[in-house]
């Protein structure tokens, strides 16, 4: 795991990726700080973090697109598989390297609230509380990007899907106001989600039976809930869209509340997608 | 030692490896032969833990590659068909990473990198980015990573593909040297290379093992057997009369004919070629017929390979069963 971590860091800083990522994040943070803290004289650094969170839509794909897809394309994954390390070691090593690359510019950014505190009354607990949440949210988004990279051997496709994924995550809380809040709408959505989930399972296991079984169970469960107590489905879809948005949860921290459930949610997302990443690597070991 | 038992690998309904069983003993160089798509790379990938099997077991020493993969993989160095290189790194950085992943102690790593670099003769390019190295040097860097940690078994999948003749000779020499201290499994399409380097040869066809023996023994079990070319000023009938009186001649064929000069290829079985050559010489001398050619021709691996992989069903029988010796002479 440590070998993979050190190796990935070396690759990030051999190419321009690590530097571009850091420069991009620092540039956007600088613009945000200029607009909010200097020009508008706002003493809340968390607003800057809220402003720059949109940058994840671009920087997460930049950072994660090659992390596993390039190994497949260059056939270097064969080396990793033949070494005395497990798929979990590979995934955690790569994830930690992304964490370090992400953390380096953030360490510099961490100094900003202290600098501003010299010139005004900055409430540091909220600033640093938001900073912690920002790191967790970033890592959760990076874990998603990493999983997408594990699904393909093309950097371009990985980046494209990742941007779409980030955009959906960023806007899904806003879009929730426009989707159907009725029980019928929720039922249809649940069936569509079940179908999508079954397709993912079909892709990962190559088993039609498992995928069909999952689809049947989820659909039947949705229908039972609909016919037994349809009130449970009212507003379900808008609520789901608000809940799954990682950006929406970050706004709670920006508003001054250190929401532990939010941190647990981010951690759960990280673990879930890293688990899927390991499964994607194992699938390749089985399917060649 | 590697023990492969009932190894099977299927991709959907396609069977890539079909109930493969063999044992690789320590201290030899093994050649792994087979036409494209025969299942060679799949088998090697399974043996090195890169690929999971559908069924069967692979044991490296006493460690199962599937159940105790971490320990088993420590005993293997593997160079896949395409050298797995990170081209932005220098060979030193790359080898340092592989050494660390192979659990070489930090203090020993620089010396270990230098050791394998010396062995593969890449010392002078250790700090040059891999992307600027020639194909031959890249291949050497690939072999170097396989040697790190001094594993007992080195598996090389087509190590000379795409190299120029000089580089091929150098890599061949290197493999020969590796065979002195390691068990080497070499997959190659170049049959002369396998014949020159390997102590034993495994031939795989359609996922099945069709032959596993020394190149010499494979020559003996081949239906071509060994042969002697005889050139003489003699008619076909006369040749038949002389050759039928000798033991061990299975058949002969007239391969070149002009006026009264004929060139025959005599197929021999279960006889030493030198001995039977003497008898042929003597038989022709007794009849006062001068020979202008008497040339023992050993069956080469190419003939055996083509024979075994051109018509699988019949050829399996040839290899697996005792061959019936047809002593009749046919023209």
């Amino acid at each position: 795991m440590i070998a993979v971590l050190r190796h990935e860091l070396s690759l990030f800083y051999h190419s321009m990726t690590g530097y571009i990522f850091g420069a991009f994040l620092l540039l956007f943070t600088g613009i945000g700080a200029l607009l909010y803290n200097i020009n508008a004289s706002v003493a809340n650094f968390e607003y800057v973090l809220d402003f720059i969170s949109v940058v994840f839509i671009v920087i997460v794909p930049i950072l994660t697109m090659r992390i596993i897809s390039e190994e497949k394309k260059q056939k270097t994954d064969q080396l990793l598989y033949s070494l005395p390390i497990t798929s979990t070691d590979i995934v955690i090593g790569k994830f930690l390297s992304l964490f370090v690359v992400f953390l380096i510019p953030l360490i510099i950014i961490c100094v900003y609230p202290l600098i501003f505190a010299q010139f005004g009354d900055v409430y540091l607990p909220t600033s640093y509380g938001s900073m912690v949440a920002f790191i967790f949210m970033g890592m959760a988004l990076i874990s998603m990007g990493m999983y997408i990279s594990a699904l393909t051997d093309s950097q371009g496709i990985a980046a494209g899907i990742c941007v779409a994924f980030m955009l959906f995550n960023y806007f899904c809380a806003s879009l929730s106001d426009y989707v159907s809040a009725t029980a019928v709408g929720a039922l249809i959505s649940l069936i569509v989600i079940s179908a999508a989930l079954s397709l993912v399972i079909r892709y990962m296991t190559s088993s039609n039976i498992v995928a069909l079984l999952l689809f049947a169970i989820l659909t039947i469960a949705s229908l039972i809930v609909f016919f037994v107590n349809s009130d449970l489905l009212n507003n379900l879809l808008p609520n789901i869209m608000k809940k799954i948005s990682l950006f929406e949860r970050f706004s709670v921290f920006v508003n001054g509340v250190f929401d532990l459930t939010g941190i647990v949610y981010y951690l759960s997302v990280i673990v879930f997608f890293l688990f899927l990443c390991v499964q994607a690597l194992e699938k390749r070991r089985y399917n060649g | 030692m590697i023990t492969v038992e009932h190894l099977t690998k299927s991709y959907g309904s396609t069977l890539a490896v079909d109930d493969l069983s063999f044992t690789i003993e320590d201290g030899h160089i093994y050649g792994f032969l087979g036409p494209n798509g025969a299942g060679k790379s799949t088998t090697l990938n399974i043996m090195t833990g890169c690929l999971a099997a559908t069924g069967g077991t692979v044991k490296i020493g006493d460690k199962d590659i599937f159940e105790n993969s971490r320990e088993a993989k420590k005993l293997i160095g593997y160079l896949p068909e395409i050298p797995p290189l990170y081209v932005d790194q220098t060979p030193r950085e790359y080898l340092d990473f592989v050494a660390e992943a192979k659990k070489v102690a930090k203090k020993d790593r620089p010396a270990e990198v230098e050791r394998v670099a010396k062995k593969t003769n890449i010392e002078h390019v250790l700090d040059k980015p891999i992307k600027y190295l020639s194909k031959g040097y890249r291949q050497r860097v690939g072999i170097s990573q396989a040697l790190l940690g001094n594993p007992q078994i080195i598996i090389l999948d087509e190590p000379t593909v795409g190299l120029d003749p000089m580089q091929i000779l150098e890599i061949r020499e290197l493999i020969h040297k590796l065979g002195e201290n390691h068990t080497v499994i070499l997959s190659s399409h170049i049959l002369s290379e396998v014949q020159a380097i390997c102590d034993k040869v495994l031939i795989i066809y359609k996922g099945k093992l069709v032959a596993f023996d020394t190149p010499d023994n494979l020559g003996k079990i081949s239906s071509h057997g060994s042969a002697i070319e005889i050139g003489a000023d003699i008619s076909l009938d006369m040749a038949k009369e002389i050759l039928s009186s000798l033991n061990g001649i299975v058949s002969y064929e007239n391969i070149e004919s002009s006026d009264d000069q004929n060139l025959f290829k005599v197929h021999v079985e279960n006889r030493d070629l030198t001995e039977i050559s003497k008898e042929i010489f003597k038989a022709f001398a007794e009849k006062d017929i001068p020979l202008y050619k008497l040339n023992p021709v050993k069956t080469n691996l190419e003939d055996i390979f083509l024979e075994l992989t051109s018509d699988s069903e019949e050829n399996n029988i040839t290899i697996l069963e005792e061959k019936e010796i047809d002593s009749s002479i046919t023209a």
Side-chain angles (χ1 to χ4, degrees):
Chain A
M1 187 178 77
I2 301 296
V4 177
L5 163 66
R6 280 159 43 92
H7 168 67
E8 284 298 328
L9 282 177
S10 149
L11 290 179
F12 270 122
Y13 291 104
H14 259 99
S15 65
M16 294 298 285
T17 317
Y19 301 105
I20 289 173
F21 173 81
F24 209 70
L25 197 57
L26 287 172
L27 177 72
F28 256 76
T29 314
I31 292 169
L34 187 73
L35 291 174
Y36 284 87
N37 301 129
I38 298 172
N39 282 358
S41 301
V42 175
N44 303 75
F45 189 71
E46 54 272 24
Y47 293 163
V48 176
L49 295 176
D50 192 33
F51 167 75
I52 63 167
S53 63
V54 70
V55 85
F56 279 124
I57 294 169
V58 179
I59 61 174
V60 170
I62 289 175
L63 202 58
T64 59
M65 62 184 185
R66 59 145 278 276
I67 194 87
I68 296 175
S69 63
E70 195 64 4
E71 301 270 9
K72 289 182 184 178
K73 193 176 179 186
Q74 301 296 335
K75 307 277 182 200
T76 44
D77 56 341
Q78 274 194 307
L79 172 72
L80 299 178
Y81 285 133
S82 69
L83 291 173
I85 49 176
T86 62
S87 296
T88 310
D89 290 335
I90 297 168
V91 168
I92 294 178
K94 282 178 179 285
F95 180 72
L96 288 179
S97 73
L98 290 166
F99 178 62
V100 173
V101 174
F102 179 52
L103 206 61
I104 289 171
L106 282 178
I107 290 169
I108 300 168
I109 294 168
C110 275
V111 184
Y112 292 6
L114 291 175
I115 295 170
F116 293 134
Q118 305 300 312
F119 305 99
D121 190 16
V122 178
Y123 189 58
L124 292 177
T126 325
S127 298
Y128 285 104
S130 300
M131 191 73 83
V132 170
F134 188 80
I135 292 169
F136 276 101
M137 178 174 70
M139 292 319 296
L141 292 168
I142 283 170
S143 68
M144 286 180 182
M146 200 169 141
Y147 172 60
I148 292 165
S149 178
L151 296 178
T152 171
D153 56 4
S154 160
Q155 283 195 47
I157 292 172
I161 297 172
C162 194
V163 167
F165 219 75
M166 294 297 127
L167 278 171
F168 174 74
N169 211 299
Y170 190 77
F171 289 111
C172 73
S174 319
L175 288 172
S176 66
D177 296 334
Y178 302 100
V179 298
S180 170
T182 62
V184 176
L187 178 68
I188 293 167
S189 307
L190 283 175
I191 292 171
V192 171
I193 292 167
S194 304
L197 204 62
S198 302
L199 284 174
V200 172
I201 295 295
R202 164 74 184 79
Y203 175 77
M204 291 187 70
T205 62
S206 301
S207 167
N208 291 327
I209 296 168
V210 173
L212 281 171
L213 205 65
L214 181 77
F215 178 67
I217 290 169
L218 291 175
T219 306
I220 291 166
S222 306
L223 286 167
I224 290 170
V225 173
F226 179 74
F227 287 114
V228 173
N229 187 358
S230 63
D231 287 345
L232 283 174
L233 297 181
N234 285 330
N235 279 321
L236 183 72
L237 192 58
N239 284 342
I240 288 176
M241 287 178 74
K242 277 180 187 145
K243 295 277 183 205
I244 62 169
S245 171
L246 286 108
F247 293 95
E248 185 68 10
R249 285 182 179 268
F250 181 62
S251 60
V252 178
F253 293 89
V254 174
N255 291 332
V257 179
F258 192 83
D259 181 16
L260 267 179
T261 59
I263 300 293
V264 171
Y265 177 66
Y266 289 142
L267 277 173
S268 308
V269 170
I270 292 169
V271 172
F272 178 68
F273 279 100
L274 291 188
F275 170 76
L276 288 183
C277 250
V278 174
Q279 298 313 308
L281 288 191
E282 283 300 307
K283 175 187 176 277
R284 190 165 165 80
R285 199 197 289 269
Y286 275 86
N287 296 351
Chain B
M1 189 169 88
I2 302 178
T3 315
V4 175
E5 283 179 348
H6 305 293
L7 193 69
T8 307
K9 177 71 186 175
S10 59
Y11 296 105
S13 57
T14 311
L15 205 55
V17 177
D18 186 4
D19 198 25
L20 208 57
S21 298
F22 57 86
T23 304
I24 301 285
E25 301 287 346
D26 289 336
H28 295 287
I29 302 179
Y30 288 82
F32 221 66
L33 286 178
N36 286 333
K40 297 190 304 291
S41 291
T42 305
T43 308
L44 294 183
N45 278 331
I46 295 172
M47 284 162 65
T48 51
C50 293
L51 204 57
T54 309
T57 57
V58 175
K59 281 189 175 173
I60 315 294
D62 58 348
K63 294 168 178 77
D64 192 297
I65 193 77
F66 308 125
E67 288 168 9
N68 195 0
S69 65
R70 212 185 269 257
E71 292 304 311
K73 284 176 186 176
K74 281 182 188 169
L75 304 173
I76 301 177
Y78 179 42
L79 172 70
E81 196 174 346
I82 299 166
L85 306 171
Y86 297 96
V87 294
D88 285 332
Q89 290 186 316
T90 63
R92 192 186 297 280
E93 289 165 333
Y94 170 71
L95 295 174
D96 190 64
F97 156 61
V98 178
E100 189 178 357
K102 286 188 174 182
K103 318 289 181 211
V104 176
K106 191 175 181 179
K107 62 177 172 53
D108 300 333
R109 248 179 263 150
E112 178 66 359
V113 169
E114 291 289 342
R115 182 186 71 83
V116 297
K118 194 174 175 187
K119 214 162 191 176
T120 54
N121 198 19
I122 56 164
E123 296 150 293
H124 54 293
V125 295
L126 267 178
D127 296 307
K128 209 173 172 184
I130 295 173
K131 61 185 164 196
Y132 299 130
L133 299 183
S134 68
K135 195 166 168 48
Y137 273 109
R138 288 183 185 206
Q139 200 74 0
R140 283 163 184 270
V141 176
I143 294 175
S144 302
Q145 65 79 18
L147 297 179
L148 283 167
N150 205 19
Q152 285 174 16
I153 300 152
I154 309 284
I155 300 179
L156 309 169
D157 194 357
E158 312 254 0
T160 54
V161 160
L163 302 183
D164 66 40
M166 189 58 83
Q167 290 170 333
I168 289 174
L169 284 176
E170 287 170 3
I171 297 284
R172 209 179 278 181
E173 182 63 28
L174 176 64
I175 294 166
H176 202 74
K177 276 185 190 165
L178 291 178
E180 292 166 7
N181 303 310
H182 304 268
T183 303
V184 180
I185 301 174
L186 165 75
S187 160
S188 178
H189 275 131
I190 305 168
L191 302 172
S192 58
E193 180 173 274
V194 171
Q195 192 153 23
I197 301 177
C198 299
D199 306 320
K200 286 192 174 181
V201 178
L202 295 95
I203 300 180
I204 288 187
Y205 183 62
K206 290 186 177 172
K208 284 178 187 280
L209 185 69
V210 292
F212 182 19
D213 216 323
T214 60
D216 284 347
N217 283 344
L218 284 176
K220 285 177 192 164
I221 60 172
S222 164
S223 63
H224 292 288
S226 298
I228 299 171
E229 281 180 359
I230 303 168
D233 298 335
I234 187 174
S235 67
L236 285 170
D237 289 340
M238 182 65 89
K240 186 176 178 180
E241 189 190 320
I242 298 170
L243 293 171
S244 60
S245 64
L246 301 171
N247 284 332
I249 293 179
V250 183
S251 62
Y252 75 84
E253 54 187 315
N254 187 209
I255 53 175
E256 206 179 293
S257 178
S258 63
D259 300 331
D260 258 356
Q261 279 197 341
N262 281 300
L263 186 63
F264 305 98
K265 192 170 185 181
V266 176
H267 297 282
V268 179
E269 207 157 78
N270 298 328
R271 291 290 308 270
D272 180 70
L273 282 181
T274 313
E275 284 304 313
I276 202 157
S277 293
K278 284 180 193 170
E279 287 178 21
I280 290 169
F281 183 82
K282 203 173 162 190
F284 277 78
E286 279 171 2
K287 299 274 181 187
D288 204 22
I289 301 167
L291 294 174
Y292 67 83
K293 187 172 189 179
L294 185 63
N295 181 32
V297 185
K298 277 195 170 181
T299 307
N300 65 25
L301 205 51
E302 193 165 358
D303 294 330
I304 301 161
F305 179 78
L306 289 172
E307 179 187 339
L308 293 172
T309 59
S310 57
D311 190 8
S312 64
E313 294 302 317
E314 288 169 23
N315 286 326
N316 277 348
I317 295 164
T318 306
I319 295 305
L320 299 174
E321 292 178 5
E322 189 82 19
K323 188 172 172 258
E324 284 182 14
I325 298 168
D326 177 12
S327 57
S328 64
I329 296 176
T330 54

